[in-house]
Amino acid sequence: MAKEGADMTEETQFMIDTNPGKEPEHVESSGDAKEMRAVVLAGFGGLNKLRVTKKAMPEPQDGEVKIRVKACGLNFLDLMVRQGSIDNPPKLPIVPGFECSGIVESVGENTAGFEIGDRVMAFVNYNAWAEVVCTPADFVYKMPEEMSFAEAAAFSLNFVAAYMMLFEVANLREGMSVLVHSAGGGVGQAVAQLCSTVPNVTVFGIASCSKHAAIRDSVTHLFDRNVDYMQEVQKISPEGVDIVLDCLCGENTAKGLTLLRPLGTYILYGASNMVTGETKSFFSFAKSWWQVEKVNPIKLYEENKVIAGFSLLNLLFKHGKCNLVKSVMDKLLCLFDQKKIKPVVDSLWALEEVKEAMQRIHDRGNVGKLILDVEKSPTPLMASDSTETSEAGEEEEEPEEDNDSKERMPFIH
Amino acid sequence: MAKEGADMTEETQFMIDTNPGKEPEHVESSGDAKEMRAVVLAGFGGLNKLRVTKKAMPEPQDGEVKIRVKACGLNFLDLMVRQGSIDNPPKLPIVPGFECSGIVESVGENTAGFEIGDRVMAFVNYNAWAEVVCTPADFVYKMPEEMSFAEAAAFSLNFVAAYMMLFEVANLREGMSVLVHSAGGGVGQAVAQLCSTVPNVTVFGIASCSKHAAIRDSVTHLFDRNVDYMQEVQKISPEGVDIVLDCLCGENTAKGLTLLRPLGTYILYGASNMVTGETKSFFSFAKSWWQVEKVNPIKLYEENKVIAGFSLLNLLFKHGKCNLVKSVMDKLLCLFDQKKIKPVVDSLWALEEVKEAMQRIHDRGNVGKLILDVEKSPTPLMASDSTETSEAGEEEEEPEEDNDSKERMPFIH
């Protein structure tokens, strides 16, 4: 196995093949207008598969917008992509990242609705973690004036997903109850805020104890993810809950279905339990596929229950629902203007700090969204701290020798 | 196995045990105020397990309404109950039937909202097919003046189920598409009418060819249930449909899920495919349970799909959702007043004709609802027709010898 720093030959060779103009890592600025800095994933596996390198500057195609990126969102899914723990993993190398905010630098032919200089946020089918991104105008939205670039990068995916699950897939109404896993994460915080726009909604949040102080006010009831939350919820609400939002999968699917009230809806919108200490292989997705409990439609009939799956990225990039997403974004921007919702930013990281940021989301240390701030310089290493962070997907790796893996102090928002 | 007519000893003995006041069958009127006529199911199996007999007059308990029944609805589920093809079949003997209309004859203590003489329709947890029924006031609704008793008995279950599936479980909106199996049945016709209250909804109906002429105008596209409807639907709508309503189960579940658009909802609201020629045993439910294809939540996630089960009777009698149903009934009665919906009655039958009525629903000969008209006298037998009707659930039975099984001419509405 290639050791980063100590033995980079394999990966270096690989990058030379695909990025002939590449420069050494940690380039601080993109002096050459034909090149840009980007985070590149060179192979599936641990943190050492990521690096910052120069890539050729993309140019907008027909119908596309070219964006000078200011901030990018980091999601748990990016970690699963890095491990290859998703269905149909992409062909490598790629630049990861599905969302960003920035300024329109140019537009392709037949691209309507945007002008150079527009402040925008956008979905990208990979490639977001770079200084410049091109994406179809259908996936680009103008930012409100009052929204910062970091907030915009924290907004799109989390709030659109939360809104569509609560109001499109389920039908959240006055007096209902919602259970949300990872209540401290980006989607969890968006769910909590959107629930508060409907009268008298009870939110059961599940989160690590370490986050409880920070998020206690955002939910009605808060439970430790390590306790038997089923029993706790049933104590408070013996009838169960109306909506369960689960990004974990595994045993939580059966628990979620059990907790549903009649006519209640369980929505699976992620499968982060697939990222475990034991697996980081291509097969972990398939493995989980077989391990997850199947649902009998006749049981749903007997119990008057609904089970749904929701993947915003598939909806956008596979299922062609960008018009629907645009209409949802319009509603969300109204709520933002009315100051009813506001994205929660956990911390800002330089592109060069992507490994530390990923470690933080892996350890579920974040409250709200992790943001890659493209213009930020890496925070100097703490001289006092040379402890290696242990990352669950990396047991088989040699310890990383390069400075990147030393802990940095993030810019906590 | 007991042979009806030829050898009734076993069932007679049975009825004497439980109904001490019983009279011979086919009592034309209930002269004795303490008794009433009712259809009784004495054992699970074929048509010969049903008979009309006298039973003790029920009296309303606390919170109940006593109804002098005018008309009862006959549903496919009643056929499954008769065969014992449902989960948790009831302890026999019972009076079947889940819905009726009639006039309030008295009310129990602590029963608010109803007065003697009110024209009402009601849900009953069995016992509907009788001259008199008592049921909690929570399940009773006042009838509009313009609604006939037959229409009322055709209204409650079908329209409430159709409405809740389209608007509570799914979220039918302008421009969507709906596929409905058994489009000619009571629920199917209610679905078609409710879809027409929303602009620009496409309805794909599946029904036996024999019904096509009668129901062609109620749906947008009509397919023969014996053709490959999937291919036909995909030809017209390559993207699939937004809502699939399936009362058949079996292979239609997988087909329905395949036909769904992203964010589409498949609703299983019955399992009439469980009633086959081969089985009529207690085990047929369990058998189908294992045969039906299970659904992987991760597949729903990948495909952005929703699968739901809907059982109105469980919702009412097990899950305590009578307030929600009442609010739905209010909305439906508004639509009825506005002449936007109108129950379709297929035919009226005397209690004594229940076997012929059941045969008709088994053969899927009905367009709209079959009604038991309590005040109707049995239609004289057709002298020219002495053919035995063959009923799929009865292969193991001796041919029935009593006159009941001879074909009658129903009163077609």
Side-chain angles (χ1 to χ4, degrees):
Chain A
M1 191 162 294
K3 281 176 246 170
E4 193 168 356
D7 175 10
M8 284 177 49
T9 329
E10 190 182 314
E11 286 177 23
T12 306
Q13 179 63 40
F14 175 68
M15 282 187 180
I16 288 168
D17 287 341
T18 54
N19 301 309
K22 100 177 203 4
E23 294 278 286
E25 294 190 5
H26 309 310
V27 180
E28 292 299 326
S29 68
S30 54
D32 185 343
K34 294 287 172 58
E35 293 192 334
M36 61 159 192
R37 280 158 66 235
V39 175
V40 170
L41 178 69
F44 296 118
L47 292 172
N48 65 340
K49 304 297 183 190
L50 289 166
R51 64 202 55 213
V52 176
T53 185
K54 274 200 171 181
K55 282 187 61 92
M57 175 74 69
E59 290 305 329
Q61 307 297 304
D62 235 42
E64 285 191 345
V65 177
K66 178 179 176 182
I67 301 166
R68 173 67 55 175
V69 178
K70 298 289 184 178
C72 317
L74 196 155
N75 297 292
F76 203 93
L77 186 63
D78 297 312
L79 200 149
M80 296 176 71
V81 168
R82 194 200 75 214
Q83 293 201 347
S85 306
I86 58 165
D87 198 20
N88 296 317
K91 202 161 163 282
L92 299 184
I94 49 146
V95 174
F98 297 107
E99 58 181 340
C100 66
S101 62
I103 294 171
V104 174
E105 194 159 277
S106 70
V107 296
E109 286 186 43
N110 303 308
T111 304
F114 294 97
E115 288 178 15
I116 293 168
D118 280 349
R119 298 169 79 241
V120 295
M121 47 194 173
F123 293 113
V124 201
N125 197 6
Y126 296 107
N127 291 316
W129 296 353
E131 284 180 322
V132 175
V133 155
C134 290
T135 194
D138 283 342
F139 303 137
V140 184
Y141 318 90
K142 285 183 189 159
M143 284 168 55
E145 273 181 29
E146 304 72 27
M147 195 181 264
S148 71
F149 287 114
E151 284 176 333
F155 190 76
S156 330
L157 214 145
N158 291 353
F159 273 90
V160 171
Y163 187 97
M164 293 192 78
M165 289 194 286
L166 292 173
F167 299 107
E168 297 277 333
V169 180
N171 193 356
L172 179 65
R173 281 165 295 180
E174 187 169 348
M176 284 188 169
S177 54
V178 176
L179 182 143
V180 61
H181 289 277
S182 302
V187 174
Q189 287 292 291
V191 164
Q193 289 186 23
L194 287 169
C195 284
S196 74
T197 67
V198 178
N200 196 25
V201 168
T202 303
V203 180
F204 296 93
I206 299 165
S208 314
C209 265
S210 58
K211 301 188 187 185
H212 283 205
I215 66 171
R216 188 168 301 283
D217 291 343
S218 65
V219 300
T220 323
H221 304 284
L222 194 51
F223 304 112
D224 180 4
R225 69 192 304 261
N226 295 315
V227 307
D228 177 4
Y229 63 86
M230 267 186 75
Q231 218 172 32
E232 299 294 318
V233 173
Q234 281 167 333
K235 250 189 247 168
I236 296 167
S237 180
E239 272 207 326
V241 296
D242 292 296
I243 300 172
V244 172
L245 301 176
D246 179 15
C247 56
L248 304 172
C249 201
E251 60 172 15
N252 295 286
T253 301
K255 284 184 183 177
L257 278 169
T258 304
L259 275 177
L260 283 187
R261 276 189 193 169
L263 296 184
T265 304
Y266 164 91
I267 307 178
L268 181 70
Y269 70 96
S272 58
N273 269 0
M274 291 186 193
V275 175
T276 67
E278 296 102 49
T279 55
K280 64 163 195 179
S281 72
F282 294 100
F283 301 106
S284 64
F285 182 85
K287 211 169 132 188
S288 307
W289 176 280
W290 292 111
Q291 280 169 354
V292 70
E293 202 173 325
K294 315 286 181 302
V295 177
N296 190 322
I298 296 181
K299 191 171 157 71
L300 298 176
Y301 163 72
E302 288 290 310
E303 299 184 349
N304 276 303
K305 288 179 177 178
V306 184
I307 175 168
F310 183 78
S311 158
L312 179 54
L313 295 176
N314 282 356
L315 205 65
L316 282 166
F317 301 125
K318 272 192 193 172
H319 303 148
K321 288 282 186 182
C322 51
N323 287 341
L324 177 61
V325 170
K326 204 165 197 84
S327 72
V328 167
M329 184 64 93
D330 289 342
K331 290 174 199 165
L332 285 167
L333 292 178
C334 273
L335 290 171
F336 179 83
D337 284 343
Q338 296 163 7
K339 301 198 191 309
K340 289 186 176 166
I341 56 175
K342 186 178 170 63
V344 178
V345 174
D346 174 72
S347 47
L348 303 179
W349 307 78
L351 289 185
E352 288 75 8
E353 295 166 330
V354 64
K355 298 179 192 182
E356 290 88 341
M358 273 212 170
Q359 184 68 46
R360 183 167 171 85
I361 204 169
H362 177 276
D363 297 341
R364 297 169 198 275
N366 58 305
V367 172
K369 189 85 163 198
L370 290 116
I371 298 293
L372 298 180
D373 180 348
V374 178
E375 294 177 344
K376 183 177 178 286
S377 300
T379 310
L381 283 175
M382 303 268 292
S384 62
D385 193 351
S386 63
T387 317
E388 291 289 335
T389 54
S390 85
E391 208 257 352
E394 297 197 292
E395 287 91 329
E396 301 163 51
E397 309 268 332
E398 297 290 320
E400 300 186 7
E401 298 300 329
D402 64 327
N403 285 337
D404 278 4
S405 61
K406 294 211 172 67
E407 197 168 285
R408 298 177 197 271
M409 288 293 284
F411 177 82
I412 303 285
H413 193 80
Chain B
M1 190 163 292
K3 281 175 246 170
E4 190 169 356
D7 175 13
M8 286 177 49
T9 331
E10 190 183 313
E11 285 177 24
T12 306
Q13 180 64 40
F14 176 69
M15 281 185 180
I16 287 168
D17 287 341
T18 53
N19 302 309
K22 102 173 199 11
E23 296 276 286
E25 292 191 8
H26 310 313
V27 181
E28 293 300 323
S29 69
S30 55
D32 185 343
K34 295 284 171 58
E35 294 192 333
M36 60 157 191
R37 281 156 67 232
V39 175
V40 170
L41 178 69
F44 295 118
L47 291 172
N48 65 339
K49 304 296 184 189
L50 290 165
R51 63 202 56 212
V52 176
T53 185
K54 274 197 169 182
K55 283 186 61 93
M57 176 72 72
E59 291 304 329
Q61 306 298 304
D62 236 42
E64 285 190 345
V65 176
K66 178 179 177 184
I67 301 166
R68 174 66 55 174
V69 178
K70 298 290 185 178
C72 317
L74 196 155
N75 296 292
F76 203 94
L77 186 63
D78 298 312
L79 200 150
M80 297 176 71
V81 168
R82 194 200 74 213
Q83 293 200 345
S85 306
I86 58 166
D87 197 22
N88 296 317
K91 201 160 164 280
L92 299 185
I94 50 143
V95 174
F98 297 106
E99 59 181 340
C100 65
S101 62
I103 293 170
V104 174
E105 195 160 276
S106 70
V107 296
E109 287 186 43
N110 304 310
T111 304
F114 294 96
E115 289 179 13
I116 293 168
D118 280 349
R119 298 169 79 240
V120 295
M121 47 194 172
F123 292 113
V124 202
N125 197 5
Y126 296 106
N127 290 316
W129 296 353
E131 285 180 322
V132 176
V133 155
C134 291
T135 194
D138 282 342
F139 304 138
V140 184
Y141 317 89
K142 285 182 189 160
M143 284 167 55
E145 274 182 28
E146 304 71 29
M147 194 182 263
S148 72
F149 287 113
E151 285 176 332
F155 190 76
S156 330
L157 215 144
N158 292 353
F159 273 91
V160 171
Y163 187 96
M164 294 191 77
M165 289 193 286
L166 291 174
F167 300 107
E168 296 277 333
V169 180
N171 194 356
L172 179 65
R173 281 165 295 180
E174 190 169 346
M176 283 188 168
S177 55
V178 177
L179 182 143
V180 60
H181 288 278
S182 302
V187 174
Q189 288 292 291
V191 164
Q193 289 186 23
L194 287 168
C195 284
S196 74
T197 67
V198 178
N200 197 23
V201 168
T202 303
V203 180
F204 296 92
I206 298 165
S208 313
C209 265
S210 58
K211 300 187 187 184
H212 282 206
I215 66 171
R216 187 167 304 282
D217 291 344
S218 64
V219 299
T220 323
H221 304 284
L222 194 53
F223 304 112
D224 179 4
R225 69 192 304 259
N226 295 316
V227 306
D228 178 3
Y229 63 86
M230 268 186 73
Q231 218 172 32
E232 299 294 317
V233 172
Q234 281 167 332
K235 251 188 249 171
I236 295 168
S237 180
E239 272 208 324
V241 296
D242 292 297
I243 301 172
V244 172
L245 302 175
D246 180 14
C247 57
L248 304 172
C249 201
E251 59 172 13
N252 294 287
T253 300
K255 284 185 182 176
L257 278 169
T258 304
L259 276 178
L260 283 186
R261 273 187 197 173
L263 296 183
T265 304
Y266 164 91
I267 308 178
L268 182 71
Y269 71 96
S272 59
N273 269 0
M274 291 187 194
V275 175
T276 67
E278 296 102 51
T279 56
K280 63 165 198 179
S281 72
F282 295 100
F283 302 106
S284 63
F285 182 85
K287 211 169 130 187
S288 305
W289 176 279
W290 291 110
Q291 281 171 352
V292 71
E293 201 173 327
K294 315 288 182 298
V295 177
N296 189 322
I298 296 181
K299 191 172 158 69
L300 298 176
Y301 163 73
E302 287 290 309
E303 299 185 349
N304 276 304
K305 288 179 178 179
V306 183
I307 175 166
F310 183 79
S311 158
L312 179 54
L313 295 176
N314 282 355
L315 205 65
L316 283 166
F317 302 126
K318 272 192 192 169
H319 303 150
K321 287 282 187 183
C322 51
N323 288 341
L324 177 61
V325 171
K326 207 169 195 79
S327 73
V328 167
M329 185 64 94
D330 289 342
K331 289 174 199 164
L332 285 167
L333 292 178
C334 272
L335 290 172
F336 179 83
D337 285 343
Q338 296 163 6
K339 302 197 191 309
K340 289 185 177 167
I341 57 174
K342 185 179 170 62
V344 177
V345 174
D346 173 72
S347 48
L348 303 178
W349 307 78
L351 290 185
E352 289 75 9
E353 295 165 331
V354 64
K355 299 180 192 181
E356 290 88 343
M358 272 211 169
Q359 184 65 47
R360 185 169 170 83
I361 205 168
H362 177 277
D363 296 341
R364 299 171 197 271
N366 60 305
V367 172
K369 189 85 161 198
L370 289 117
I371 298 294
L372 298 179
D373 179 347
V374 178
E375 294 177 343
K376 182 175 179 287
S377 302
T379 309
L381 284 176
M382 302 270 289
S384 64
D385 192 352
S386 61
T387 319
E388 292 289 335
T389 54
S390 86
E391 209 256 352
E394 298 197 290
E395 287 91 327
E396 301 164 53
E397 310 268 331
E398 299 289 318
E400 299 185 7
E401 297 299 329
D402 64 326
N403 285 337
D404 277 6
S405 63
K406 293 210 173 67
E407 196 169 285
R408 297 176 198 271
M409 287 291 285
F411 177 81
I412 305 286
H413 192 81

